[in-house]
C-alpha cells in the first residue's frame, strides 16, 4: 500500500495547479463573479503567524467551494508593508526598510504558497511599491482638492519613547499601544482627513450590508451619533454667553451649575474678571498634559475649580448658577461646555457631592417632569422638544467620531504629495510627477525635534512650486499605516494599471467584495477608514458601489497553549512551518478549522493536531483500499454521504467549519468500516473535503478519476445531494377529528394516505372517536396532517 507522503504530494499539486492556472481570476466572464477578501498581512520579520493561516484557510474554503459551484472567483493576496516594526529594524541595523520588506515578503510568499491557498498570485499588491503608493498619493490629493484633507493644529498624543504622534486609537489606557510608554499631549500641525464629513453616510451605509451584528454595533458606536440640542446660557457679567450641547434638554430646570472644558476659549477671555485667577490658570495648565482617555476615566475622582466672580443664568429657572472649569468636560466634543444636572447625570452628581452643589430632581421615575415650571407633568420625550423651543435652543446632532490624524513624522510611509510655497500655500504635486518617491536618507530615526527623517533629505526637500515656479519646500510628513489598506481591495481588481488606480469597467465587474473576513481588532478603524475612502471615491464617480464590502465576518484569535497570547517574549509562538513539516499543510488547515467555533479565541493544542492527521490518514487508507467500486450498493452509506454533504455545504456558509469536519469524520469512520463503498459516494466525499484539504483530495481524486489530461478536482462541479435521501426518517403527523387535534403520530417520511389512515384508525386515542361514527371525509396532507370529518 502506498504511504501518505504529504511532503511529496503537497508541493507536487501546488506546482500542477500553478501550471494549469486554475486559481486565476478572469476579468469579465460569462460566469458569475465572486470576490473573497482577507486582510492582507503585514510582512513582519517573524514570518507567517498561525492566526494568518486561520483566516486565510476559512476564506480559501469559501473560495474553493464557490469555484466548484461555477463562479469566476477572485481571491487575492498582497502586503500591507509600511509599518513601524520594519522601520525600527532598519533603525537598529541600518538596512533600508525596502530591503527588509523584500526579504520578509519573500518568506511570507513561500510560506503562504506552501499552505496551498488558492490565491491569484498574479494580482499581488505591495503598498510600499511606488507603483502602488503612487495611487495612494493620488487618492489623497483628490481628498485634498475636495477640502477633505487639511492641516490643522491639534493636540496630538505623543509617545516620547517612539518619538511619534499617535492616533487616538493607538493609545490604550493612556499608554502607547506599541511600546507601553505613557503618552503625552503635544500641540502639533498635522494633516487631517475629514472623515467626520462622512459620519452620517458611514452610519447609514451599515443598513445595506451584511456585517456581523457585533461589527455593526462597534462601527455605530465609534461613529457615536448623538441627538440633542444647543442651549445658550447668558452670563451675569456681560455680553458673553455659554452655549452647551445636551442630550437631555428635558432636565434643564435641574441644571444647577455649569462646567467649561479647561481649553474653552471663554476662560482666557474672562480671566481678568476672576478673583481666583491663579488657581484657574494652574488648573488649566495641569489639565493640558492629560489625554482625553485619562480625563474621562470613570474610576478617577472628579477635579475642578470654580470661576469666581462670574455666574451663569439658567434660561429656564432664571436663577444664577456657578461656573466651574473641570477636565471631565472635553474641549473637542459638543461645544466644550455643559449644563450640569447632578440629579440625572452620574458624573455631575459625583462632582456636585464633592463641591456641595444643589441636586434638584426634575424627572420622576416614571418619566414625567417635576419642579419644571409650566412643563411639570409632561412626559420627558415631549418635554425635550418643548423646552428647547421655550429657551430658543437649536436641535443638534453630534458625532463622537473625530477627524483622522493622517500624518506621521516617520520615514517608512507614503510621502504626502504636497509642496509648500510661500506665496501659493499648500500645492498638490501634479499627477505627472507622481509618485513622490521616498528619498534616500542616512538616518531613519525620527528627529528629536519631532520632525520626520525626511526633513534631513535636503536635496529632496527643495523643489519648485508647481504653480508659480518659485522655490518651495516639500511636505516631510508621511502617511499613517492605515493609508495603503484603505483602498487595496480596489487595486486587486486591476493591479497593473498605469493610467488609473483601477479601470472603472473592471471595478464594475468585480466590486463590491462579496465576503470579507478579518480580525475583530480592525472593525472600528480599518473598516471605517476603507469604507470612508470607498464612499468618497463613489461620490467622485470613480468606483461603482458606495459600500466596498457586502459581507464582513470575523475570526477568533489563536492563543498560545494555556490560553495566553502568543508572543515572542513568551516564546510560545507556533511557526506554521514546523507543523507542515511534521504533518503537512492539509493537516494544519484542517486543525485550524477544527479547533473550535471559528469566531472564538482558542488555545493551540498540539495533541489535537494528531487527531486531524489520523483522520487524513484514514481517508488515505480508504482511498488505497479495494472497497470502492462503481457497482457497490450500500444504501446506508449513501444516505449518510448525502446527509454529510448537505451539512458540509450549509456549515461552510455559516463558517461552522468545525462541525463540518466532525460530520466528515463520522462519514470517514463509516467508510472505513464498510465492506463496499459506491464510487459515487466516494467522489462526493472527496469533493466536499477538497476545500478543506486540497492536496490529499487531489491525489486521491486523480488516482481514481484522473484522466490523461490533467483536470483538477478543484474545478469539478460542487456536488448536489439527493433531496429524498437527506430527509428526516420520520415525519410528525397531526391527527384530527373534525378539525380538532386528538393525537400525534410518527410515521416514515412520505407515507401514503392509505398507510397514514390505517395507522391513525388504529391509534388508541383516535379509535374512541371513530367508533360507531361514519367517516364522511378524510383530509390528508403528506408528512403533516390527517383529519377525519365525521
Ligand atoms: C445635561 C444632561 C443631563 C446630560 C443628563 C446628560 C444626562 P453623548 O450621548 O455622549 O452625546 N456633554 C456634552 N458635551 C460634553 C463634553 N464636551 N464633555 C463631557 N461631557 C459632555 O452625551 C452628551 C451629554 O454629555 C450631554 O448631555 C452633556 O450632559 C454631556 F441627565 O447635558 B448632558
Ligand atoms: Zn507658488
Amino acid at each position: 500500500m502506498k504511504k501518505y507522503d504529504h511532503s511529496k504530494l503537497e508541493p507536487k499539486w501546488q506546482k500542477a495547479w500553478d501550471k494549469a492556472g486554475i486559481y486565476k481570476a478572469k476579468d469579465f466572464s460569462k460566469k458569475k463573479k465572486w470576490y473573497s477578501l482577507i486582510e492582507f498581512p503585514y510582512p513582519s520579520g517573524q514570518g507567517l503567524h498561525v492566526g494568518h493561516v486561520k483566516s486565510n484557510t476559512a476564506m480559501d474554503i469559501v473560495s474553493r467551494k464557490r469555484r466548484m459551484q461555477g463562479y469566476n472567483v477572485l481571491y487575492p493576496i498582497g502586503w500591507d508593508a509600511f509599518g513601524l516594526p520594519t522601520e525600527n529594524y532598519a533603525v537598529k541595523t541600518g538596512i533600508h526598510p525596502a530591503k527588509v520588506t523584500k526579504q520578509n515578503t519573500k518568506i511570507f510568499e513561500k510560506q503562504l504558497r506552501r499552505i496551498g491557498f488558492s490565491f491569484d498570485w498574479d494580482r499581488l499588491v505591495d503598498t510600499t511599491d511606488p507603483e502602488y503608493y503612487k495611487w495612494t498619493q493620488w487618492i489623497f490629493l483628490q481628498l485634498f482638492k475636495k477640502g477633505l484633507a487639511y492641516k490643522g493644529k491639534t493636540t496630538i498624543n505623543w509617545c516620547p519613547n517612539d518619538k511619534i504622534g499617535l492616533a487616538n486609537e493607538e493609545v490604550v489606557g493612556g499608554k502607547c499601544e506599541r511600546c507601553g510608554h505613557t503618552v503625552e499631549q503635544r500641540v502639533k500641525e498635522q494633516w487631517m482627513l475629514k472623515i467626520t464629513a462622512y459620519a452620517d453616510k458611514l452610519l447609514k451605509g451599515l443598513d445595506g450590508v451584511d456585517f456581523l451584528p457585533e461589527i455593526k454595533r462597534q462601527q455605530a458606536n465609534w461613529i457615536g451619533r448623538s441627538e440633542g440640542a444647543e442651549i445658550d446660557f447668558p452670563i451675569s457679567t456681560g455680553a458673553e454667553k455659554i452655549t452647551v450641547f445636551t442630550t437631555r434638554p428635558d432636565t434643564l430646570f435641574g441644571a444647577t451649575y455649569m462646567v467649561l472644558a479647561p481649553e474653552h476659549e471663554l476662560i482666557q477671555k474672562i480671566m481678568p474678571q476672576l478673583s481666583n485667577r491663579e488657581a484657574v490658570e494652574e488648573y488649566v495648565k495641569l489639565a493640558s498634559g492629560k489625554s482625553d482617555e485619562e480625563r474621562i476615566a470613570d474610576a478617577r475622582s472628579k477635579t475642578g475649580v470654580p470661576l469666581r466672580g462670574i455666574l451663569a443664568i439658567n434660561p429656564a429657572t432664571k436663577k444664577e448658577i456657578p461656573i466651574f472649569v473641570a477636565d471631565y468636560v472635553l474641549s473637542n466634543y459638543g461645544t466644550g461646555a455643559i449644563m450640569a444636572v447632578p440629579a440625572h447625570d452620574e458624573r455631575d452628581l459625583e462632582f456636585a457631592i464633592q463641591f456641595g452643589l444643589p441636586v434638584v430632581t426634575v424627572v420622576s421615575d416614571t418619566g414625567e417632569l417635576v419642579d419644571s415650571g409650566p412643563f411639570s407633568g409632561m412626559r420627558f420625550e415631549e418635554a425635550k422638544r418643548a423646552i428647547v423651543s421655550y429657551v430658543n435652543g437649536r436641535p443638534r446632532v453630534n458625532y463622537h467620531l473625530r477627524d483622522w490624524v493622517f500624518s506621521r513624522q516617520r520615514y517608512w510611509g507614503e510621502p504626502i504629495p504636497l509642496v509648500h510655497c510661500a506665496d501659493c500655500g499648500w500645492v498638490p504635486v501634479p499627477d505627472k510627477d507622481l509618485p513622490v518617491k521616498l528619498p534616500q536618507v542616512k538616518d531613519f530615526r525620527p528627529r528629536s525635534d519631532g520632525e520626520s527623517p525626511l526633513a534631513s533629505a535636503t536635496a529632496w526637500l527643495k523643489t519648485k512650486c508647481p504653480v508659480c515656479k518659485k522655490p518651495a519646500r516639500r511636505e516631510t510628513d508621511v502617511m499613517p499605516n492605515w493609508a495603503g489598506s484603505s483602498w487595496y481591495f480596489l487595486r486587486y481588481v486591476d493591479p497593473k494599471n498605469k493610467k488609473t488606480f483601477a479601470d472603472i469597467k473592471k471595478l464594475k465587474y468585480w466590486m463590491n467584495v462579496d465576503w470579507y473576513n478579518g480580525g475583530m481588532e480592525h472593525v472600528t478603524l480599518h473598516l471605517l477608514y476603507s469604507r470612508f475612502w470607498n464612499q468618497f471615491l463613489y461620490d467622485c464617480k470613480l468606483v461603482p458601489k458606495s459600500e466596498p464590502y457586502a459581507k464582513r465576518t470575523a475570526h477568533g484569535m489563536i492563543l498560545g497553549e494555556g490560553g495566553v497570547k502568543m508572543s515572542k517574549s513568551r516564546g510560545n509562538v507556533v511557526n506554521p512551518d514546523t507543523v507542515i513539516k511534521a504533518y503537512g499543510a492539509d493537516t494544519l488547515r484542517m486543525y485550524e478549522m477544527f479547533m473550535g467555533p471559528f469566531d472564538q479565541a482558542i488555545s493551540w493544542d498540539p495533541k489535537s493536531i494528531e487527531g486531524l492527521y489520523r483522520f487524513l490518514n484514514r481517508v488515505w487508507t480508504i482511498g488505497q483500499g479495494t472497497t470502492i467500486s462503481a457497482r457497490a450498493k450500500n444504501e446506508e452509506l449513501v444516505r449518510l454521504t448525502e446527509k454529510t454533504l448537505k451539512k458540509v455545504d450549509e456549515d461552510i456558509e455559516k463558517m461552522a467549519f468545525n462541525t463540518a469536519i466532525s460530520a466528515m469524520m463520522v462519514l470517514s469512520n463509516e467508510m472505513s468500516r464498510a465492506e463496499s463503498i459506491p464510487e459515487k459516494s466516494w467522489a462526493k466525499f472527496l469533493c466536499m473535503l477538497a476545500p478543506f484539504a486540497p492536496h490529499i483530495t487531489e491525489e486521491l481524486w486523480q488516482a481514481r478519476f484522473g484522466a490523461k489530461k490533467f483536470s483538477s478536482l478543484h474545478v469539478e462541479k460542487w456536488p448536489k445531494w439527493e433531496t429524498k435521501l437527506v430527509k428526516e426518517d420520520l415525519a410528525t403527523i397531526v391527527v384530527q377529528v373534525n378539525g380538532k387535534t386528538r393525537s400525534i403520530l410518527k410515521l416514515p417520511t412520505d407515507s401514503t394516505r392509505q398507510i397514514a389512515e390505517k395507522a391513525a384508525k388504529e391509534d388508541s386515542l383516535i379509535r374512541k372517536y371513530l367508533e360507531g361514527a361514519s367517516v364522511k371525509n378524510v383530509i390528508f396532507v403528506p408528512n403533516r396532517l390527517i383529519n377525519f370529518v365525521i
Side-chain angles (χ1 to χ4, degrees):
M1 195 176 84
K2 237 170 105 188
K3 198 178 151 269
Y4 172 39
D5 187 356
H6 48 81
S7 63
K8 279 234 175 67
L9 72 87
E10 288 183 349
K12 175 181 87 182
W13 290 119
Q14 283 159 13
K15 252 185 232 125
W17 298 331
D18 231 19
K19 201 168 147 222
I22 57 171
Y23 305 133
K24 298 225 176 311
K26 290 184 193 67
D27 296 326
F28 316 112
S29 154
K30 279 203 195 76
K31 290 179 179 177
K32 264 177 88 178
K33 72 94 185 177
W34 178 269
Y35 188 171
S36 305
L37 187 66
I38 41 147
E39 288 169 341
F40 61 164
Y42 172 66
S44 74
Q46 275 120 60
L48 201 69
H49 189 275
V50 286
H52 293 125
V53 179
K54 183 172 171 180
S55 165
N56 296 9
T57 304
M59 288 318 289
D60 194 46
I61 290 169
V62 171
S63 302
R64 286 177 179 280
K65 181 184 169 196
R66 288 292 181 274
R67 219 172 270 118
M68 293 173 82
Q69 286 175 313
Y71 287 82
N72 177 27
V73 173
L74 170 55
Y75 186 35
I77 182 73
W79 318 122
D80 189 14
F82 278 125
L84 214 52
T86 304
E87 180 171 324
N88 287 341
Y89 184 77
V91 168
K92 220 165 55 191
T93 60
I95 305 171
H96 195 278
K99 210 172 160 193
V100 179
T101 300
K102 273 262 144 50
Q103 290 166 1
N104 290 351
T105 54
K106 250 201 194 136
I107 295 166
F108 264 67
E109 175 166 350
K110 200 170 158 226
Q111 287 185 299
L112 287 170
R113 282 185 181 272
R114 185 58 188 83
I115 302 170
F117 295 126
S118 60
F119 295 133
D120 180 349
W121 284 95
D122 286 354
R123 293 176 184 253
L124 188 82
V125 304
D126 174 348
T127 55
T128 66
D129 178 352
E131 283 304 309
Y132 181 90
Y133 71 66
K134 168 179 176 175
W135 299 108
T136 310
Q137 292 175 334
W138 186 84
I139 296 169
F140 171 84
L141 288 180
Q142 308 315 303
L143 288 157
F144 176 80
K145 288 170 187 171
K146 293 258 155 65
L148 292 167
Y150 62 97
K151 199 157 197 180
K153 258 208 177 86
T154 56
T155 56
I156 60 155
N157 306 298
W158 177 260
C159 174
N161 182 45
D162 284 337
K163 296 201 183 75
I164 185 176
L166 303 173
N168 279 343
E169 41 278 17
E170 293 170 310
V171 181
V172 178
K175 302 240 163 21
C176 171
E177 180 197 54
R178 300 192 166 96
C179 73
H181 207 281
T182 302
V183 172
E184 293 168 5
Q185 300 298 298
R186 261 206 196 182
V187 178
K188 177 99 191 120
E189 285 255 299
Q190 294 272 58
W191 284 101
M192 311 278 290
L193 292 189
K194 215 184 221 165
I195 190 172
T196 51
Y198 275 74
D200 214 33
K201 273 191 189 167
L202 289 167
L203 191 63
K204 289 218 179 87
L206 293 173
D207 292 340
V209 291
D210 176 17
F211 291 3
L212 288 182
E214 176 57 16
I215 297 177
K216 280 196 187 183
R217 198 186 63 77
Q218 288 201 25
Q219 289 258 303
N221 269 3
W222 196 264
I223 296 164
R225 185 178 197 274
S226 177
E227 249 174 75
E230 285 188 358
I231 294 175
D232 299 329
F233 284 62
I235 35 185
S236 57
T237 50
E240 302 286 353
K241 59 178 190 201
I242 298 171
T243 302
V244 302
F245 171 69
T246 177
T247 48
R248 296 292 308 275
D250 53 312
T251 65
L252 180 56
F253 283 81
T256 54
Y257 68 99
M258 301 191 80
V259 181
L260 302 182
E263 301 82 0
H264 198 284
E265 55 173 23
L266 186 68
I267 296 177
Q268 298 308 326
K269 268 194 206 158
I270 57 167
M271 198 67 94
Q273 299 171 45
L274 300 180
S275 61
N276 62 338
R277 267 182 78 159
E278 269 172 29
V280 172
E281 267 167 1
E282 172 86 0
Y283 185 82
V284 168
K285 214 176 121 203
L286 211 72
S288 70
K290 289 179 191 150
S291 70
D292 288 0
E293 282 71 22
E294 220 180 316
R295 282 166 54 165
I296 57 172
D298 287 334
R300 199 174 143 256
S301 66
K302 305 273 170 294
T303 59
V305 173
L307 302 181
R308 290 202 203 286
I310 65 160
L311 290 166
I313 294 154
N314 181 323
T317 63
K318 304 282 191 279
K319 278 191 194 142
E320 290 188 328
I321 55 174
I323 309 170
F324 289 78
V325 52
D327 66 6
Y328 79 95
V329 172
L330 303 175
S331 64
N332 58 5
Y333 185 64
T335 61
I338 65 157
M339 64 181 219
V341 185
H344 301 290
D345 183 283
E346 290 280 338
R347 294 160 302 175
D348 297 346
L349 180 62
E350 203 188 313
F351 190 87
I353 291 169
Q354 214 161 307
F355 287 83
L357 296 157
V359 179
V360 180
T361 301
V362 288
V363 182
S364 73
D365 289 348
T366 52
E368 280 109 30
L369 266 62
V370 292
D371 276 338
S372 293
F375 304 96
S376 298
M378 197 183 266
R379 297 278 316 159
F380 76 99
E381 300 98 332
E382 203 191 338
K384 279 187 175 178
R385 244 163 293 131
I387 291 182
V388 170
S389 82
Y390 177 65
V391 297
N392 290 319
R394 301 156 303 272
R396 158 100 214 190
V397 173
N398 269 325
Y399 295 91
H400 283 275
L401 186 67
R402 297 274 76 98
D403 278 344
W404 171 10
V405 181
F406 201 70
S407 46
R408 303 191 313 141
Q409 294 71 48
R410 282 286 189 156
Y411 179 75
W412 194 226
E414 303 86 347
I416 290 177
L418 291 169
V419 167
H420 192 262
C421 165
D423 293 339
C424 310
W426 287 107
V427 180
V429 170
D431 286 1
K432 68 171 178 37
D433 296 334
L434 295 179
V436 176
K437 284 195 194 165
L438 266 170
Q440 292 293 334
V441 294
K442 279 203 202 74
D443 193 355
F444 309 114
R445 228 177 304 255
R447 293 163 31 136
S448 49
D449 63 359
E451 290 305 314
S452 151
L454 300 193
S456 309
T458 350
W460 174 84
L461 207 63
K462 289 184 193 145
T463 182
K464 271 195 215 124
C465 169
V467 178
C468 71
K469 312 293 176 213
K470 280 194 206 136
R473 199 185 133 96
R474 289 185 190 279
E475 171 59 66
T476 58
D477 281 2
V478 298
M479 298 186 194
N481 296 345
W482 308 102
S485 59
S486 291
W487 72 283
Y488 74 115
F489 48 91
L490 299 172
R491 189 63 177 173
Y492 282 143
V493 166
D494 195 9
K496 297 186 178 89
N497 199 321
K498 294 212 179 257
K499 290 200 201 95
T500 170
F501 67 91
D503 180 74
I504 186 72
K505 281 201 217 82
K506 291 182 188 172
L507 287 168
K508 273 189 183 145
Y509 176 72
W510 284 114
M511 288 299 286
N512 38 22
V513 172
D514 292 282
W515 193 339
Y516 190 11
N517 185 72
M520 226 31 222
E521 70 278 17
H522 290 142
V523 304
T524 45
L525 304 177
H526 159 65
L527 201 58
L528 207 61
Y529 293 159
S530 54
R531 290 181 59 224
F532 165 44
W533 277 39
N534 191 83
Q535 288 191 351
F536 166 72
L537 291 170
Y538 175 76
D539 288 346
C540 300
K541 302 199 162 50
L542 295 168
V543 301
K545 294 261 168 74
S546 66
E547 286 294 332
Y549 320 118
K551 175 175 179 144
R552 172 64 155 76
T553 51
H555 53 261
M557 269 214 293
I558 296 184
L559 303 170
E561 281 180 67
V564 292
K565 218 180 148 175
M566 273 192 192
S567 72
K568 232 173 130 188
S569 58
R570 285 201 180 84
N572 63 351
V573 177
V574 179
N575 185 341
D577 295 351
T578 49
V579 182
I580 292 172
K581 201 156 177 234
Y583 305 103
D586 281 340
T587 296
L588 173 66
R589 298 167 57 110
M590 295 288 291
Y591 168 63
E592 293 210 15
M593 292 300 100
F594 187 67
M595 287 177 93
F598 183 68
D599 59 348
Q600 281 171 30
I602 318 246
S603 320
W604 191 261
D605 177 10
K607 277 186 255 90
S608 353
I609 301 176
E610 298 267 353
L612 278 304
Y613 187 56
R614 275 199 300 277
F615 165 61
L616 289 183
N617 271 290
R618 190 185 312 130
V619 174
W620 178 262
T621 308
I622 300 166
Q624 307 309 306
T626 50
T627 49
I628 306 161
S629 90
R631 270 159 290 119
K633 287 212 167 53
N634 185 339
E635 221 182 290
E636 221 167 296
L637 193 65
V638 169
R639 194 183 285 270
L640 184 65
T641 308
E642 300 299 317
K643 278 188 173 174
T644 310
L645 173 59
K646 178 170 187 282
K647 177 153 183 63
V648 170
D649 182 290
E650 290 168 357
D651 280 358
I652 290 175
E653 301 307 319
K654 291 185 285 193
M655 303 193 109
F657 305 110
N658 56 334
T659 53
I661 292 174
S662 303
M664 288 190 282
M665 285 174 164
V666 171
L667 178 58
S668 76
N669 281 339
E670 290 308 316
M671 283 186 167
S672 51
R673 267 199 285 272
E675 268 159 35
S676 68
I677 303 169
E679 195 172 68
K680 256 196 189 153
S681 294
W682 177 242
K684 284 187 174 181
F685 178 56
L686 290 180
C687 283
M688 68 176 103
L689 183 58
F692 295 78
H695 309 88
I696 188 173
T697 48
E698 182 80 281
E699 178 79 19
L700 293 171
W701 179 269
Q702 296 304 334
R704 181 156 295 268
F705 306 106
K708 262 230 173 82
K709 190 171 170 293
F710 171 63
S711 170
S712 173
L713 162 62
H714 302 291
V715 291
E716 278 297 315
K717 253 208 190 112
W718 182 252
K720 285 204 173 72
W721 57 86
E722 302 273 345
T723 342
K724 61 177 192 296
L725 294 182
V726 303
K727 276 214 188 111
E728 280 307 316
D729 302 341
L730 291 177
T732 305
I733 296 181
V734 170
V735 187
Q736 297 181 330
V737 179
N738 285 346
K740 283 211 174 77
T741 300
R742 300 295 181 191
S743 184
I744 286 174
L745 291 178
K746 291 261 184 208
L747 290 179
T749 302
D750 293 339
S751 294
T752 59
R753 170 192 289 264
Q754 283 75 19
I755 290 168
E757 195 172 324
K758 187 161 175 276
K761 280 180 173 160
E762 282 165 10
D763 185 78
S764 61
L765 289 170
I766 299 300
R767 217 183 304 150
K768 62 180 183 211
Y769 289 102
L770 300 186
E771 253 168 17
S774 71
V775 175
K776 288 194 194 124
N777 196 4
V778 180
I779 300 159
F780 175 66
V781 183
N783 296 322
R784 302 279 287 278
L785 173 134
I786 184 159
N787 182 14
F788 296 96
V789 183
I790 54 174

